[in-house]
Amino acid sequence: MWSTLGHNMESPNHTDVDPSVFFLLGIPGLEQFHLWLSLPVCGLGTATIVGNITILVVVATEPVLHKPVYLFLCMLSTIDLAASVSTVPKLLAILWCGAGHISASACLAQMFFIHAFCMMESTVLLAMAFDRYVAICHPLHYATILTDTMIARIGVAVVMRGSLLMLPCPFLIGRLNFCQSHVILHTYCEHMAVVKLACGDTRPNRVYGLTAALLVIGVDLFCIGLSYALIAQAVLRLSSCEARSKALGTCGSHVCVILISYTPALFSFFTHRFGHHVPVHIHILLANVYLLFPPALNPVVYGVKTKEIHKRVVRVFQSGQGTGIKASE
């Protein structure tokens, strides 16, 4: 299928360009700012790696944090790291030196992994909302519902859902003919950006892409909203203001992560589908905000707003400083 896609593509001049290669243009209209834009991209990529690895190390080395909510956080951090690795290196290569060439097979692989990881992240956020619902509305059954086996099953469901929903897209694209241009007006192989280059009937691709997005964003947001509606109902029944505050406080980090993740996702989705008069570079910037900001900010939110993680992160850095001082002495 990969070779079929490559031979179906034709370069604009048919002579000096490999027909099996796409070219990622970057951000059209902002080419003169590519070098400057690489600075925040590099910063966010570094923050993603450092922050998420810190979360994984702290949770793995602290037995007291081996609880469902933190195991879900580890899933989120792992997905964020994988998504960053799939995106940031090529993005920096484009911004630094215009190295936008990417083979057809690599482009489809990048498309699959980026969109699959985004779907997996949404599923983890839904699982975290379920965790908060059980913890607040059914606290006596929390340990019996969210067992290690259940968490493992949820982890498998997260991977399977994202992978299976995204699996048809590369095959649907593999049947298309690319007879006009192989230049992708984007910083990565985004599904619709590639589909727009095709000459044939792209309705199946468009319909499936929209259906998959609605199944993930629509269903997950509805279920998360329902969970928090039930949580709010349970919290309002509490007689003590202190108990209400404590119950809502346990949801603060998750609500912040939901806002960070879904706000740019919804902006990118709606401007891409309905914002036909929105400049191309705005579409692309929103798509990159959606990919880059949540993975970098999620560890910060949990590190600042979750006392257990905050204390242990501080302890790890203090012990590291203490070891460095002793070594120097």
Side-chain angles (χ1 to χ4, degrees), residues 72 75 123 145 147-161:
F72 288 137
M75 292 183 195
T123 309
I145 294 175
T147 61
D148 290 342
T149 302
M150 177 59 72
I151 294 170
R153 288 175 179 172
I154 291 174
V156 172
V158 166
V159 175
M160 293 298 292
R161 186 193 188 207

Side-chain angles (χ1 to χ4, degrees), residues 13-54:
N13 54 22
H14 307 284
T15 55
D16 59 347
V17 180
D18 187 347
S20 66
V21 175
F22 284 111
F23 185 81
L24 293 164
L25 192 60
I27 307 176
L30 297 180
E31 290 88 353
Q32 67 272 30
F33 300 112
H34 274 188
L35 190 59
W36 292 104
L37 290 171
S38 69
L39 298 178
V41 170
C42 191
L44 289 169
T46 303
T48 297
I49 294 172
V50 173
N52 286 290
I53 289 178
T54 300

Side-chain angles (χ1 to χ4, degrees), residues 44 47-48 52 80-81 83-84 121 290-299:
L44 289 169
T48 297
N52 286 290
D80 285 342
L81 282 172
S84 180
E121 181 168 352
Y290 170 50
L291 285 181
L292 297 173
F293 274 83
L297 295 181
N298 290 345

Side-chain angles (χ1 to χ4, degrees), residues 167-207:
L167 188 60
C169 287
F171 292 98
L172 287 172
I173 289 178
R175 68 178 182 82
L176 298 175
N177 292 316
F178 293 83
C179 57
Q180 294 181 355
S181 175
H182 64 288
V183 177
I184 303 173
L185 302 180
H186 218 295
T187 56
Y188 62 92
C189 292
E190 196 270 336
H191 176 244
M192 288 308 301
V194 176
V195 169
K196 287 178 180 179
L197 300 180
C199 302
D201 182 15
T202 61
R203 281 176 296 179
N205 302 76
R206 294 174 184 273
V207 170

